[in-house]
Amino acid sequence: DPEVVLAERRAALLHRAEGVWGNVAGNGLDACSTTMRYSLIRRDGEDYIALAMPGYESEGRIVSAENGSIFTRTVSPPSHAGTQQELRLEADRLIQVDERGAPTPLVRCDGG
């Protein structure tokens, strides 16, 4: 069933985004010297992804998740509500793309 296959691919993609991610090594920084945690939340029949890092937390509703990219629309904090973000999963990296199109490459820091 094609719908089942698509649902399984979506779930696998969302699962790959979960965990602790951090900056890549460079500019005098060790890899993962700054980290953030992505967690999935299922609420009222919709999927959300939460981002937590020291001094900042946000939550975005997942608009789509396919072909290696997760698109979200921020719901909190209120000051960022409505902004879009893309999380692009590559072989060994997560690329955060903000609403202006600026990419930030991240590496997995928790081995999982």
Side-chain angles (χ1 to χ4, degrees):
D1 182 1
E3 287 185 31
V4 171
V5 171
L6 287 175
E8 289 172 351
R9 286 183 184 165
R10 174 186 166 95
L13 178 62
L14 294 175
H15 178 71
R16 282 182 50 212
E18 283 190 292
V20 178
W21 296 87
N23 61 283
V24 297
N27 294 331
L29 296 174
D30 293 328
C32 298
S33 62
T34 302
T35 62
M36 58 197 68
R37 175 176 294 282
Y38 279 104
S39 305
L40 293 177
I41 303 166
R42 180 104 175 131
R43 184 173 51 242
D44 299 326
E46 293 196 60
D47 293 319
Y48 294 81
I49 194 159
L51 167 64
M53 54 190 288
Y56 182 79
E57 291 185 11
S58 72
E59 189 174 299
R61 185 176 61 80
I62 297 172
V63 177
S64 70
E66 59 188 339
N67 300 322
S69 289
I70 301 167
F71 290 90
T72 67
R73 185 163 307 277
T74 303
V75 294
S76 72
S79 60
H80 292 102
T83 59
Q84 245 182 232
Q85 182 179 38
E86 176 187 5
L87 301 174
R88 187 178 324 131
L89 286 140
E90 297 181 353
D92 62 346
R93 298 207 174 173
L94 175 73
I95 311 297
Q96 288 180 328
V97 183
D98 69 16
E99 68 276 5
R100 295 177 308 270
T104 302
L106 304 170
V107 294
R108 188 169 296 276
C109 297
D110 64 357

